[in-house]
Amino acid sequence: MADTAKIVVTRRIPEPAVELLREAGDVWVSPDDRPLETQELHDAVKGADVAVTLLHDKIDDAFLDAAGDQLRAVCNVAVGFDNIDVPAATRRGVLITNTPGVLTEATADLAMTLILAVTRRIGEGERLLRRREKWSWHMFMLLGMGLQDKTLGVVGMGAIGQSVARRAKAFGMEIVYSDARPASEEVERELGARRVELDELLSSADVVSIHAPLMDATRHLINAEALAQMKETAYLVNSARGPIVDEAALVEALRSGQIAGAGLDVFENEPEVQPGLLELDNVVLLPHLGSATIETRTAMGVLAAKNAIAVLRGEQPPTPVNPDVLEGAAS
Ligand code: DGY
């Protein structure tokens, strides 16, 4: 390993991760928590051997050009890597890594929180009290939907989808899911989960929860047509990536009563939130908090650091996205 390896971290990450990185080279960490502007990002990464990046950093040809030919890896501190042009990196022999596994439970907790919050009208109740309005308990106040015996439709039955299904089952829900790849028989048996086509999921689920990655095939997967297939009493929850849902169509569906409500942790043009959503009472909105626990964010940073260090030491990184780059280097 070159002892002067240059490691660029594009935004503050937990200190244990930075300490690990310091053992492997000279580390520059962006001093604050805002995303760098494109030019700042390109200036910062110039001459880096490894870049440790965050989910809103755009890693494309321009970034890779700005970094230079010595760049060996981009270690994203996120499980999602839709911010990265992986084929462009692969063409240049730049390894991409992500942080799967360590955020599964925290993200599933958050999805379940949204499911409960929107079906039990938690935001509306909280806002009512904060408005300091007069209120008194009555039989019909802010009635929501109970989860027992209702159906959860999981769109994308990867690790996070399965963990959400596990939680929902404990709340008495039936599970259906759609995914290009079936879950293992063991998982289906454990969760009593049935794989169905997306159309059937949309028309039968009481809560539709999205856990698919963002890619061409899932961009606007939940559009006006998909929303029209949902029951008027059903809720949509998205804690995956904003652009999977056509937000304008969602606002319309919520306004018209096409669906009962939505819980959103992610947005189509983050950090912007559609003004239409902000005006609606039947929506619970969170600022992309899926993995936001101290333990999980630390584990994400540490895993990204381990990936970076392995690359610099010529070892096998724990979680590569384009391992063919490593095979190419070995041959
Ligand atoms: C991820 O890791 O992709 C998450 O969106 C971060 O919370």
Side-chain angles (χ1 to χ4, degrees):
M1 175 175 67
D3 51 4
T4 55
K6 179 174 172 182
I7 303 168
V8 168
V9 184
T10 62
R11 216 173 313 172
R12 269 189 344 115
I13 60 173
E15 205 44 42
V18 179
E19 275 168 28
L20 266 184
L21 289 170
R22 288 199 205 288
E23 291 172 18
D26 290 338
V27 183
W28 178 84
V29 185
S30 177
D32 55 12
D33 295 320
R34 70 177 171 86
L36 295 175
E37 299 292 339
T38 305
Q39 192 55 54
E40 291 176 310
L41 181 66
H42 291 178
D43 290 344
V45 81
K46 197 171 171 13
D49 296 289
V50 171
V52 176
T53 56
L54 282 294
L55 78 171
H56 291 134
D57 296 328
K58 192 165 184 203
I59 313 303
D60 54 6
D61 273 313
F63 174 98
L64 297 166
D65 282 342
D69 290 343
Q70 77 301 323
L71 183 72
R72 295 169 63 184
V74 174
C75 303
N76 217 34
V77 192
V79 64
F81 48 86
D82 46 282
N83 57 316
I84 302 178
D85 183 342
V86 179
T90 306
R91 275 196 302 275
R92 295 167 187 246
V94 173
L95 184 78
I96 304 300
T97 67
N98 67 339
T99 61
V102 293
L103 48 77
T104 303
E105 303 306 329
T107 308
D109 285 347
L110 197 281
M112 200 64 219
T113 302
L114 280 175
I115 292 171
L116 286 163
V118 70
T119 56
R120 295 301 301 273
R121 308 179 64 177
I122 300 302
E124 289 171 78
E126 237 246 340
R127 286 193 292 277
L128 180 145
L129 293 186
R130 286 183 187 279
R131 282 197 299 270
R132 294 176 163 73
E133 266 172 31
K134 262 193 150 193
W135 66 281
S136 64
W137 188 95
H138 67 85
M139 286 292 274
F140 305 100
M141 184 183 188
L142 288 179
L143 298 186
M145 180 187 83
L147 297 182
Q148 297 77 14
D149 302 322
K150 298 295 194 311
T151 298
L152 173 69
V154 178
V155 179
M157 195 64 147
I160 297 173
Q162 288 175 26
S163 285
V164 174
R166 208 161 278 128
R167 284 157 176 72
K169 187 170 189 270
F171 279 82
M173 298 188 84
E174 303 289 326
I175 313 296
V176 295
Y177 75 96
S178 69
D179 199 307
R181 276 187 309 183
S184 69
E185 276 179 26
E186 199 187 342
V187 166
E188 286 196 345
R189 208 173 316 113
E190 176 207 343
L191 300 171
R194 197 164 55 87
R195 181 163 168 249
V196 296
E197 293 299 324
L198 181 63
D199 288 353
E200 183 182 339
L201 181 150
L202 291 169
S203 59
S204 64
D206 299 292
V207 178
V208 173
S209 192
I210 301 172
H211 302 289
L214 174 62
M215 45 195 189
D216 288 346
T218 59
R219 193 172 292 275
H220 281 194
L221 182 69
I222 306 300
N223 55 14
E225 266 175 30
L227 290 161
Q229 291 179 66
M230 288 175 63
K231 301 197 255 191
E232 284 182 5
T233 50
Y235 298 83
L236 178 73
V237 169
N238 188 9
S239 55
R241 284 292 183 265
I244 296 174
V245 175
D246 177 342
E247 243 168 43
L250 176 62
V251 169
E252 202 32 56
L254 289 162
R255 268 196 195 130
S256 65
Q258 173 68 59
I259 65 170
L264 305 174
D265 187 41
V266 289
F267 302 94
E268 205 172 336
N269 298 306
E270 254 174 67
E272 303 300 322
V273 178
Q274 269 259 357
L277 289 172
L278 293 165
E279 286 159 16
L280 290 165
D281 244 350
N282 53 346
V283 193
V284 178
L285 302 167
L286 294 176
H288 204 144
L289 295 181
S291 61
T293 69
I294 294 168
E295 299 85 349
T296 299
R297 288 283 162 83
T298 303
M300 290 165 71
V302 166
L303 180 52
K306 285 184 176 165
N307 276 305
I309 292 167
V311 170
L312 291 170
R313 291 188 175 146
E315 293 166 2
Q316 177 70 30
T319 50
V321 167
N322 55 349
D324 23 329
V325 164
L326 297 168
E327 283 147 28
S331 60

